[in-house]
Amino acid sequence: MQSTLRTTPNPRHFRLPRQLNEPLTPISKKPRIVINSLRTPLHSDPEEDKLRGEGFGPTSLPAAAKLPVVIRKSGKVSRYVWDGDCLRLVSVDGGAASFGLDFDGGVRELGRACGVFVRNFFIPKQVSASYMDYVKWKLLHRVFSSALQVLATQAMFRAIGIGYSRSLPSAAALNWVLKDGLGRLSRCIYTASLASAFDTNLKRVRFSTSVIFSLSIGVELLTPVFPQYFLLLASIANIAKQISLACYLVTGSAVHRSFAVADNLGEVSAKAQIQAVCFDNLGLMLAALLNMSLKNNQRLLAALPFAVYPIFAALDLLGIYQGLKYVHLQTLTKDRLEIILNTWIEFGYVPLPAEVSKEEGIDIFSHKNKDSWPIRIGSLSTKVQIPRLPLMAMKSVKSKDYYFICLETFGGLARNAERNILLCLREGAGTSDVIMGLLQACYIRKALIQNENRWEQILGAYYVSDLGFEEWFKLADDSRQCAERSFHTVSDQIAAMGWAAKNILLSTQEQARYSFIAD
């Protein structure tokens, strides 16, 4: 590749810029090793061969003529070269000079060009490092999911055909319309009921709905076995599929945003659509090959969906589960913020989104309260008997406070009772108040764990003594002072580590607020 910029033929009219009073020292002949994104050294031998082929000899091309400007475009790497009277752009990506002469080099160049084309076609320009791993698992998921959907659709057509001897085609069409209508209605109800959960529990909701989607395909495969229950089975399956589809569409933008490192959300979403279409077509081809291989044996063809369903469904769910591990969400939720603050208290640093994502996991069964003294954000429950300690904490709230912290006890006052740390937020509390309150609650939990026996005695007693009240308020005051000393440092590091610290996403229960009334 070569382009020429013509200038005045007299080489003395061109001067490389240098500072005034700079000593005239010879330029070093030692080559600089610069590696670009395609891992091509700019001092490689193919470059010298290319330049010699263009008429530049070793004596006519001093090292100073190689200008320190490299152009990367469409997978090719070129460098500006000055020969004294013209400026040229010479390819330095290796093997370009011998493309037409060397067969092996030509094949290698063709393979490289094809690889660059495929990558530019499927992969966005600027994404996070974990994106390629996510796409690999997405390929596994989409291929086998698409193949299963083809087999399920064939089974449903077969079920309608079996029922033709006992019903009119118009009745079959009515059944199809009814099951689609019920599915769309259920989709609306589902999205309305779980609006906040899509943000706060994205991975868990997405994987759980994927499991439901795989089960719905299994239900569709049963329609030829029970054709008389076609409407019931098809409606149940379509309701599950519509719920899964709603979750996929709602959470897709958040997943794509986690990979867009340069605000290129539109490009990432567009490439995701291309990937889905191509991967789904591979699944269609797989299902077609399976059908073609068994077209002469109708019994095996009818049994094919039941034989491959467990394998394909397992591979589908494996691809989704592993792919979600590489989705590192930068938005702050209560659980992610709690992991960040616990790491800060224990180790003195704020973790990256990838570290928090690994510790957070998918948590499909929502196993909460597995740690001692779990922290809950919300309002004090009145369904259980409220001990005097939370009442005293509530009574001590002042007008300048935007939150208060108290202890909850469920299951009575026995030693095996369930106990939580409750953070109650006031109307008008901002992001800084939530971080401050949760940081103080984490300090309180650390102190409670360190003196677990002492606090078991205080909270396990039927009547909390005055000494117990004094110890609690002293603990609350000390933890608040620790939180105030650490708050600004923690907030700055949260923003520096790439977290979206402008807002904290809370669930519907966590959004409960109290108002202060001074009587």
Side-chain angles (χ1 to χ4, degrees):
M1 180 178 64
Q2 175 177 310
S3 63
T4 304
L5 178 65
R6 294 296 177 184
T7 59
T8 306
N10 190 351
R12 290 176 297 177
H13 291 174
F14 178 83
R15 292 290 185 270
L16 293 176
R18 65 183 182 88
Q19 296 180 353
L20 295 177
N21 303 326
E22 181 180 352
L24 296 175
T25 56
I27 299 176
S28 174
K29 300 285 186 177
K30 184 178 180 180
R32 290 184 61 192
I33 299 177
V34 181
I35 306 299
N36 59 19
S37 61
L38 297 179
R39 303 184 182 275
T40 303
L42 299 181
H43 66 290
S44 58
D45 293 335
E47 176 193 4
E48 301 297 338
D49 296 337
K50 176 70 174 179
L51 295 175
R52 290 190 184 97
E54 297 292 334
F56 297 101
T59 58
S60 64
L61 181 63
K66 300 178 185 179
L67 301 182
V69 178
V70 177
I71 303 298
R72 298 179 180 89
K73 184 178 181 181
S74 300
K76 296 183 179 180
V77 183
S78 305
R79 185 173 182 177
Y80 283 108
V81 175
W82 172 259
D83 67 344
D85 62 350
C86 66
L87 186 67
R88 299 195 177 191
L89 192 61
V90 181
S91 174
V92 294
D93 51 357
S98 60
F99 178 77
L101 301 176
D102 183 16
F103 179 76
D104 293 336
V107 173
R108 187 163 50 250
E109 175 68 14
L110 180 62
R112 185 196 64 81
C114 292
V116 171
F117 172 78
V118 172
R119 190 191 186 284
N120 292 336
F121 185 77
F122 282 99
I123 308 300
K125 288 291 188 297
Q126 295 181 340
V127 286
S128 61
S130 61
Y131 185 76
M132 290 303 301
D133 295 312
Y134 169 77
V135 172
K136 293 175 185 177
W137 289 109
K138 180 181 179 180
L139 170 63
L140 181 70
H141 149 58
R142 299 292 303 199
V143 167
F144 289 100
S145 177
S146 177
L148 277 178
Q149 292 182 62
V150 172
L151 297 177
T153 303
Q154 290 177 343
M156 296 179 69
F157 285 151
R158 194 179 301 115
I160 294 178
I162 293 174
Y164 276 164
S165 59
R166 292 183 293 268
S167 62
L168 296 174
S170 59
L174 178 60
N175 289 350
W176 200 278
V177 171
L178 284 175
K179 65 101 177 173
D180 282 349
L182 291 174
R184 292 193 177 102
L185 178 61
S186 301
R187 174 178 170 180
C188 295
I189 297 174
Y190 171 75
T191 52
S193 59
L194 291 181
S196 63
F198 292 121
D199 292 317
T200 56
N201 298 299
L202 185 147
K203 292 185 180 181
R204 177 168 59 86
V205 172
R206 183 155 184 170
F207 184 74
S208 60
T209 53
S210 299
V211 175
I212 295 175
F213 183 84
S214 295
L215 294 176
S216 69
I217 293 179
V219 174
E220 288 181 343
L221 294 177
L222 293 176
T223 52
V225 182
F226 305 100
Q228 66 274 21
Y229 301 112
F230 173 82
L231 179 59
L232 176 62
L233 295 176
S235 298
I236 293 175
N238 198 58
I239 288 172
K241 292 176 71 173
Q242 290 293 331
I243 289 175
S244 180
L245 177 62
C247 177
Y248 178 81
L249 295 176
V250 171
T251 60
S253 59
V255 173
H256 298 158
R257 190 181 296 110
S258 68
F259 295 115
V261 298
D263 292 334
N264 54 336
L265 178 59
E267 181 190 14
V268 175
S269 300
K271 297 296 184 180
Q273 293 294 325
I274 296 173
Q275 294 165 9
V277 171
C278 295
F279 297 164
D280 287 349
N281 286 337
L282 291 177
L284 294 176
M285 293 173 58
L286 176 61
L289 290 175
L290 291 174
N291 282 311
M292 291 174 60
S293 62
L294 300 176
K295 64 180 180 179
N296 296 327
N297 193 327
Q298 293 299 319
R299 294 186 61 183
L300 289 179
L301 187 61
L304 173 64
F306 302 100
V308 302
Y309 171 74
I311 301 174
F312 283 15
L315 292 174
D316 175 25
L317 294 177
L318 176 64
I320 298 172
Y321 186 85
Q322 294 293 336
L324 287 175
K325 289 184 177 181
Y326 295 98
V327 178
H328 308 317
L329 302 171
Q330 294 90 21
T331 53
L332 287 176
T333 62
K334 180 262 177 186
D335 293 334
R336 294 180 201 133
L337 182 58
E338 186 177 348
I339 293 173
I340 292 172
L341 298 179
N342 284 333
T343 305
W344 166 262
I345 293 173
E346 293 296 329
F347 305 104
Y349 76 96
V350 171
L352 292 169
E355 300 176 64
V356 175
S357 177
K358 183 177 180 180
E359 184 173 351
E360 181 185 27
I362 297 178
D363 196 19
I364 181 174
F365 297 108
S366 186
H367 284 158
K368 296 185 178 181
N369 302 339
K370 50 188 175 183
D371 298 328
S372 56
W373 294 105
I375 300 174
R376 185 177 72 88
I377 298 179
S379 59
L380 193 64
S381 176
T382 59
K383 296 181 180 180
V384 297
Q385 183 179 2
I386 303 177
R388 289 185 59 198
L389 193 58
L391 293 177
M392 296 298 294
M394 191 183 303
K395 190 175 181 180
S396 63
V397 174
K398 301 177 182 178
S399 59
K400 63 179 182 179
D401 296 331
Y402 276 89
Y403 68 87
F404 72 89
I405 300 175
C406 63
L407 301 181
E408 282 185 314
T409 302
F410 296 96
L413 299 176
R415 287 182 174 271
N416 58 353
E418 178 185 349
R419 297 187 176 92
N420 300 329
I421 300 174
L422 175 64
L423 172 61
C424 295
L425 299 174
R426 179 180 168 181
E427 286 285 348
T431 301
S432 58
D433 299 308
V434 178
I435 296 176
M436 180 69 180
L438 196 57
L439 181 59
Q440 181 182 352
C442 290
Y443 275 115
I444 290 177
R445 176 167 59 188
K446 182 179 179 181
L448 292 175
I449 294 175
Q450 290 176 346
N451 302 276
E452 187 173 2
N453 294 332
R454 171 60 180 160
W455 284 101
E456 285 289 346
Q457 294 177 0
I458 294 175
L459 299 175
Y462 180 78
Y463 180 81
V464 179
S465 62
D466 294 337
L467 181 60
F469 287 127
E470 293 179 4
E471 291 192 21
W472 163 252
F473 286 113
K474 183 178 184 304
L475 174 60
D477 186 60
D478 292 343
S479 62
R480 188 179 185 90
Q481 293 180 11
C482 292
E484 290 175 348
R485 288 194 298 267
S486 306
F487 173 74
H488 293 290
T489 304
V490 172
S491 299
D492 293 342
Q493 287 200 21
I494 287 176
M497 290 296 105
W499 291 98
K502 186 177 180 180
N503 295 300
I504 298 177
L505 303 175
L506 301 176
S507 64
T508 304
Q509 292 76 16
E510 293 169 348
Q511 292 174 8
R513 297 290 189 269
Y514 74 89
S515 299
F516 181 82
I517 301 176
D519 293 333

